[in-house]
Amino acid sequence: MEKKDFEAWLDNISVAFLSLTDLQKNETLDHLISLSGAVQLRHLSNNLEILLKRDFLKLLPLELSFYLLKWLDPQTLLTCCLVSKQWNKVISACTEVWQTACKNLGWQIDDSVQDPLHWKKVYLKAILRMKQLKDHEAFETSSLIGHSARVYALYYKDGLLCTGSDDLSAKLWDVSTGQCIYGIQTHTCAAVKFDEQKLVTGSFDNTVACWEWSSGAKTQHFRGHTGAVFSVDYNDELDILVSGSADFTVKVWALSTGTCLNTLTGHTEWVTKIWPIGREINCKCLKTLSVSEDRSISLQPRLHFDGKYIVCSSALGLYQWDFASYDILRVIKPPDLANVSLLGFGEIFALLFDNRYLYIMDLRTEKLISRWPLPEYRKSKRGSSFLAGEISWLNGLDGQNDMGLVFATSMPDHSIHLVLWKEHG
């Protein structure tokens, strides 16, 4: 048939075909297929695949594509990214999907980041870190060696760990390298706190002293306690130093002169924890908190206070008080655990430990999501020989705050055992 005649015939057939019912159209196609040979059937097969498998992500407006993608779980979306470059581009740019997925994992979200590809990368990093936590593979250990007697005092800030020992010395360590930056001769140390220029120590000799790192010189001595000093804090701007002692008192001092400004009484046991200083010097007791009416259940070391909540652990579990009303807001009983101590408490996670393990709890579900074995560290009822490292991640991981020191404790051989975040894979 000539081309001109074929085109005229095809037009006539098309008009007639369009006038048929759906059933008649199907019968017509069945008849034509039965008359077709291999070449026609192959042609039909190839074109049907193109016609039937419509790429809706490519055809739909981007806003509609994003709306549909929100109904899929992240794991399915990752699989969909493998379909084509176009799918990967569209799915990776769906910011809200990946932000929500990160939030569900307990990740911090910085809404100011506008890069559409950023949040998928954050999710991939987050899912890897959470898998490491679940598999108990998120941490690694290290040791600091240098003291020749018991290490009792520990204080951590900005990647630096200060240690005070019965060997009459204090040392400042770079946790990332394990190197000792400063080492100075002191008295026996039961508490330490430092900044770039100076070190403040509380001692078993019942005094507090201030030392200069660069020269090792003692610049101030605070005398007045009648028991070992187990906690210290200071504020240069306010020219104030506060100390808590085994004599059951807290003393407030003038940092520059060493003069005692106030002595706070009321405790019936050692004062092993004081909170960072405010502007009030003539303090009074606002409330005594306990977990049992007869105060027969003692609170464990390490109080958490953020200005809004007070949290402490006991044999009955973790207790959270509202600081405004002093009402108990929450009691968390870790499953299958007793006598765990609190290291840190945030909006998403809590860091706990006992004689065998370091634990991470998801506070949204109150379930333990990870643990890490601890060696036979040097036990201390007063809790001054261990501390948490970086704690910003307790309010939500973000891919940047899960690095550096997690936990430090002194060992019977006078070394310091460190638990560190493992680098991202």
Side-chain angles (χ1 to χ4, degrees):
M1 185 182 293
E2 294 291 334
K3 181 178 181 181
K4 185 177 180 180
D5 295 335
F6 170 73
E7 289 176 351
W9 174 84
L10 191 60
D11 286 339
N12 292 331
I13 290 294
S14 299
V15 172
F17 185 79
L18 291 173
S19 67
L20 300 176
T21 65
D22 285 340
L23 181 60
Q24 290 170 335
K25 287 177 181 178
N26 289 344
E27 290 181 1
T28 301
L29 290 174
D30 289 340
H31 182 68
L32 290 174
I33 290 172
S34 68
L35 297 175
S36 299
V39 175
Q40 289 74 47
L41 293 174
R42 188 179 304 110
H43 175 78
L44 183 62
S45 175
N46 292 337
N47 281 278
L48 278 175
E49 185 175 8
I50 295 172
L51 291 171
L52 292 175
K53 295 183 178 179
R54 307 296 295 276
D55 190 339
F56 69 92
L57 279 187
K58 192 173 183 180
L59 297 173
L60 286 174
L62 200 57
E63 295 79 12
L64 284 177
S65 295
F66 286 167
Y67 177 78
L68 291 174
L69 293 172
K70 291 176 187 177
W71 296 94
L72 299 178
D73 64 273
Q75 205 59 44
T76 301
L77 288 173
L78 289 176
T79 304
C80 291
C81 287
L82 303 176
V83 171
S84 67
K85 289 183 179 179
Q86 178 66 21
W87 277 47
N88 182 51
K89 183 178 179 181
V90 172
I91 294 170
S92 298
C94 192
T95 301
E96 187 177 342
V97 167
W98 300 112
Q99 284 186 337
T100 301
C102 291
K103 287 179 182 177
N104 291 338
L105 290 174
W107 233 248
Q108 284 188 40
I109 299 301
D110 181 359
D111 294 322
S112 66
V113 179
Q114 299 298 317
D115 180 6
L117 301 180
H118 170 77
W119 290 109
K120 180 188 171 188
K121 294 177 182 177
V122 171
Y123 174 75
L124 292 173
K125 181 180 282 191
I127 203 73
L128 173 60
R129 181 59 92 196
M130 297 308 292
K131 183 180 185 303
Q132 289 178 332
L133 286 170
K134 182 180 178 181
D135 296 340
H136 315 307
E137 296 176 349
F139 306 130
E140 58 189 7
T141 58
S142 180
S143 293
L144 302 177
I145 300 172
H147 283 291
S148 59
R150 177 184 68 163
V151 176
Y152 192 90
L154 300 171
Y155 184 79
Y156 176 80
K157 183 177 72 172
D158 299 333
L160 300 175
L161 179 68
C162 184
T163 58
S165 171
D166 287 348
D167 64 8
L168 306 184
S169 76
K171 297 181 184 295
L172 189 65
W173 309 80
D174 184 330
V175 170
S176 63
T177 64
Q179 297 298 309
C180 181
I181 300 173
Y182 287 114
I184 61 175
Q185 292 298 304
T186 62
H187 46 186
T188 58
C189 295
V192 291
K193 186 175 181 180
F194 69 92
D195 57 39
E196 291 78 4
Q197 284 77 39
K198 65 180 175 298
L199 167 71
V200 173
T201 58
S203 176
F204 289 100
D205 68 9
N206 306 345
T207 70
V208 179
C210 185
W211 315 79
E212 188 177 70
W213 279 122
S214 58
S215 65
K218 185 194 299 181
T219 58
Q220 195 55 262
H221 212 166
F222 306 81
R223 295 181 173 90
H225 280 296
T226 58
V229 179
F230 286 105
S231 50
V232 293
D233 191 26
Y234 63 88
N235 186 305
D236 287 308
E237 181 185 353
L238 301 177
D239 191 31
I240 292 294
L241 183 143
V242 177
S243 57
S245 170
D247 64 11
F248 309 164
T249 70
V250 174
K251 287 184 179 291
V252 183
W253 313 79
L255 180 59
S256 59
T257 65
T259 305
C260 183
L261 304 175
N262 200 355
T263 299
L264 310 177
T265 60
H267 283 289
T268 58
E269 256 293 353
W270 295 7
V271 182
T272 60
K273 177 69 177 179
I274 52 177
W275 206 252
I277 302 165
R279 294 188 175 273
E280 181 61 56
I281 298 175
N282 298 311
C283 307
K284 63 178 181 179
C285 179
L286 299 175
K287 184 74 173 178
T288 299
L289 302 177
S290 61
V291 299
S292 57
E293 291 187 6
D294 60 0
R295 300 187 190 176
S296 60
I297 305 297
S298 62
L299 297 174
Q300 301 285 356
R302 291 298 183 272
L303 172 77
H304 170 86
F305 175 56
D306 59 8
K308 188 175 182 182
Y309 303 116
I310 302 168
V311 186
C312 201
S313 62
S314 73
L316 300 178
L318 295 179
Y319 277 73
Q320 182 180 25
W321 290 270
D322 179 79
F323 183 56
S325 65
Y326 307 113
D327 292 334
I328 295 175
L329 299 178
R330 190 177 184 186
V331 180
I332 303 172
K333 297 183 178 180
D336 304 322
L337 295 180
N339 295 321
V340 292
S341 294
L342 176 68
L343 286 164
F345 191 93
E347 295 174 7
I348 305 294
F349 304 110
L351 186 64
L352 314 165
F353 83 114
D354 60 16
N355 289 339
R356 299 181 301 156
Y357 293 100
L358 189 67
Y359 302 97
I360 295 178
M361 174 185 284
D362 188 327
L363 292 171
R364 298 168 299 175
T365 62
E366 298 186 3
K367 295 184 183 299
L368 299 175
I369 61 171
S370 187
R371 71 180 187 186
W372 185 259
L374 295 176
E376 287 292 325
Y377 56 87
R378 195 183 67 77
K379 306 298 188 296
S380 170
K381 285 184 179 180
R382 307 297 177 179
S384 298
S385 301
F386 58 82
L387 52 69
E390 307 289 350
I391 57 172
S392 63
W393 63 272
L394 296 173
N395 291 323
L397 293 155
D398 63 9
Q400 301 297 324
N401 57 17
D402 53 339
M403 60 178 61
L405 183 66
V406 180
F407 174 76
T409 185
S410 57
M411 301 293 289
D413 63 0
H414 319 319
S415 66
I416 300 94
H417 179 80
L418 307 180
V419 177
L420 306 156
W421 283 101
K422 190 180 293 183
E423 289 188 13
H424 284 280

